[in-house]
Amino acid sequence: MESSGSAQRLDVVVEGDEGSARLDRVLAARLPDLSRSRLKALILAGAVSLKNAEIRDPAYHVASGDTIRIDVPEAAPPQPKGEDIALDIVFEDDDIIVINKPKGLVVHPAAGHETGTLVNALIAHCGGSLSGIGGVRRPGIVHRLDKDTTGLMVVAKNDLAHASLTAQFADHGRTGPMRRGYMAFAWGLPGRHRGTVDAPIDRHPHAREKMAVRQGGREAVTHWELLESFTGRDGKPVAALLACELETGRTHQIRVHLAHIGHPLMGDAVYGPHFKTKANQLGPESQAALAALGRQALHAYLLVLEHPRTGEPLHWEAGLPEDLLLLESALKAAL
């Protein structure tokens, strides 16, 4: 065992008598000082490796004689610290702040992403005003975007705003002005101009880091409208630009719902891996733009809500970021 401060590197040799070949159960049997939830978080965060290759599946079967390496990071501070991270601020007053989130920015600290998050940036920007609003680890956060999804997010700066925004997101525009709109570049061309996906979402039964449409899951409703279609090298439709609006706010909702109807997001390695060969139908310029994207082609372009203090309806729109503009331009050219 090596140690650096409170960080540790542990090597575990599989004896074969741990009662199970599953990685998480073997580690739980051999490392009783680490809780099962902590071990699972370390596995999902990529801190566990075998023969210098990361293993991110807790159910991975190890073999007797395998040496498993676990890099246990030093304990995270109980409260995130402010960090000087530039923010694209669209609107700010004493109650709320609206930002245009770039790709690659994680919203709040979690296993594997303890620093460099939006929360760290907000604490530095807002100072002590966020303290205690919505919990220590997620101060002010009332909704989130995936790490690689870009676009508009609102954050509460005090208790009044937090209570109001939480209620508005729970209501999702059923009785108020709340609207959340996304631009989505999806594979294929839907057979009609608009539609609604009403399909419950829950954790994937086998891959716990994924979500899936499942009976008995939480209600999830996504409305979509076709804005543009793109043809491939053979002149046939290959992709579409959809405007999606959420009636509910489930984790990965648009990504799961579009994959469910056979039109996963371009660049989505989690929910659209079987569509990688579709890229062969694109011209060289489009293939290059998609490869350079390196993320799911999803952007939160529209946010409408009621101001927590004044009740005034507020409306913001954010144009496509540069990487999606390049993808759109290449797809239009069909070269």
Side-chain angles (χ1 to χ4, degrees), residues 199-202 212-218:
I201 290 177
D202 204 346
V213 168
R214 297 185 69 188
Q215 287 301 113
R218 300 179 71 188

mmCIF file of all heavy atoms in Angstrom, residues 199-202 212-218:
data_model
loop_
_atom_site.group_PDB
_atom_site.id
_atom_site.type_symbol
_atom_site.label_atom_id
_atom_site.label_comp_id
_atom_site.label_asym_id
_atom_site.label_seq_id
_atom_site.Cartn_x
_atom_site.Cartn_y
_atom_site.Cartn_z
ATOM 1 N N ALA A 199 -42.966 7.984 -21.917
ATOM 2 C CA ALA A 199 -42.435 6.664 -21.540
ATOM 3 C C ALA A 199 -41.668 6.792 -20.229
ATOM 4 O O ALA A 199 -40.772 7.629 -20.124
ATOM 5 C CB ALA A 199 -41.514 6.125 -22.640
ATOM 6 N N PRO A 200 -42.016 5.969 -19.226
ATOM 7 C CA PRO A 200 -41.389 6.086 -17.899
ATOM 8 C C PRO A 200 -39.900 5.743 -17.934
ATOM 9 O O PRO A 200 -39.462 4.876 -18.690
ATOM 10 C CB PRO A 200 -42.169 5.084 -17.049
ATOM 11 C CG PRO A 200 -42.719 4.098 -18.029
ATOM 12 C CD PRO A 200 -42.988 4.859 -19.286
ATOM 13 N N ILE A 201 -39.134 6.423 -17.092
ATOM 14 C CA ILE A 201 -37.676 6.247 -17.057
ATOM 15 C C ILE A 201 -37.236 5.817 -15.664
ATOM 16 O O ILE A 201 -37.723 6.332 -14.658
ATOM 17 C CB ILE A 201 -36.958 7.547 -17.467
ATOM 18 C CG1 ILE A 201 -37.161 7.808 -18.974
ATOM 19 C CG2 ILE A 201 -35.470 7.491 -17.138
ATOM 20 C CD1 ILE A 201 -36.548 9.103 -19.466
ATOM 21 N N ASP A 202 -36.317 4.853 -15.638
ATOM 22 C CA ASP A 202 -35.746 4.371 -14.379
ATOM 23 C C ASP A 202 -34.293 3.995 -14.643
ATOM 24 O O ASP A 202 -33.825 4.048 -15.782
ATOM 25 C CB ASP A 202 -36.542 3.152 -13.886
ATOM 26 C CG ASP A 202 -36.412 2.951 -12.376
ATOM 27 O OD1 ASP A 202 -35.512 3.576 -11.773
ATOM 28 O OD2 ASP A 202 -37.193 2.171 -11.810
ATOM 29 N N ALA A 212 -33.016 4.088 -18.474
ATOM 30 C CA ALA A 212 -33.699 3.329 -19.516
ATOM 31 C C ALA A 212 -35.205 3.511 -19.383
ATOM 32 O O ALA A 212 -35.719 3.814 -18.298
ATOM 33 C CB ALA A 212 -33.340 1.838 -19.407
ATOM 34 N N VAL A 213 -35.909 3.330 -20.481
ATOM 35 C CA VAL A 213 -37.372 3.283 -20.433
ATOM 36 C C VAL A 213 -37.761 1.956 -19.796
ATOM 37 O O VAL A 213 -37.385 0.888 -20.279
ATOM 38 C CB VAL A 213 -37.976 3.406 -21.851
ATOM 39 C CG1 VAL A 213 -39.463 3.074 -21.833
ATOM 40 C CG2 VAL A 213 -37.745 4.807 -22.400
ATOM 41 N N ARG A 214 -38.488 2.028 -18.674
ATOM 42 C CA ARG A 214 -38.861 0.819 -17.941
ATOM 43 C C ARG A 214 -40.253 0.970 -17.345
ATOM 44 O O ARG A 214 -40.607 2.031 -16.801
ATOM 45 C CB ARG A 214 -37.869 0.539 -16.812
ATOM 46 C CG ARG A 214 -36.456 0.251 -17.268
ATOM 47 C CD ARG A 214 -35.577 -0.135 -16.099
ATOM 48 N NE ARG A 214 -35.948 -1.441 -15.538
ATOM 49 C CZ ARG A 214 -35.437 -1.942 -14.428
ATOM 50 N NH1 ARG A 214 -34.548 -1.242 -13.733
ATOM 51 N NH2 ARG A 214 -35.809 -3.128 -13.985
ATOM 52 N N GLN A 215 -41.026 -0.075 -17.444
ATOM 53 C CA GLN A 215 -42.331 -0.102 -16.785
ATOM 54 C C GLN A 215 -42.135 0.092 -15.286
ATOM 55 O O GLN A 215 -41.231 -0.501 -14.700
ATOM 56 C CB GLN A 215 -43.052 -1.430 -17.052
ATOM 57 C CG GLN A 215 -43.589 -1.548 -18.475
ATOM 58 C CD GLN A 215 -44.565 -0.436 -18.821
ATOM 59 O OE1 GLN A 215 -44.283 0.401 -19.661
ATOM 60 N NE2 GLN A 215 -45.710 -0.402 -18.159
ATOM 61 N N GLY A 216 -42.972 0.909 -14.683
ATOM 62 C CA GLY A 216 -42.844 1.158 -13.257
ATOM 63 C C GLY A 216 -41.873 2.275 -12.927
ATOM 64 O O GLY A 216 -41.708 2.641 -11.760
ATOM 65 N N GLY A 217 -41.224 2.841 -13.955
ATOM 66 C CA GLY A 217 -40.313 3.961 -13.739
ATOM 67 C C GLY A 217 -41.088 5.251 -13.496
ATOM 68 O O GLY A 217 -42.324 5.261 -13.440
ATOM 69 N N ARG A 218 -40.358 6.347 -13.366
ATOM 70 C CA ARG A 218 -40.996 7.636 -13.115
ATOM 71 C C ARG A 218 -41.523 8.218 -14.426
ATOM 72 O O ARG A 218 -40.900 8.068 -15.491
ATOM 73 C CB ARG A 218 -40.003 8.612 -12.476
ATOM 74 C CG ARG A 218 -39.451 8.120 -11.153
ATOM 75 C CD ARG A 218 -38.451 9.095 -10.574
ATOM 76 N NE ARG A 218 -39.109 10.313 -10.101
ATOM 77 C CZ ARG A 218 -38.456 11.392 -9.696
ATOM 78 N NH1 ARG A 218 -37.131 11.408 -9.724
ATOM 79 N NH2 ARG A 218 -39.113 12.455 -9.271
#
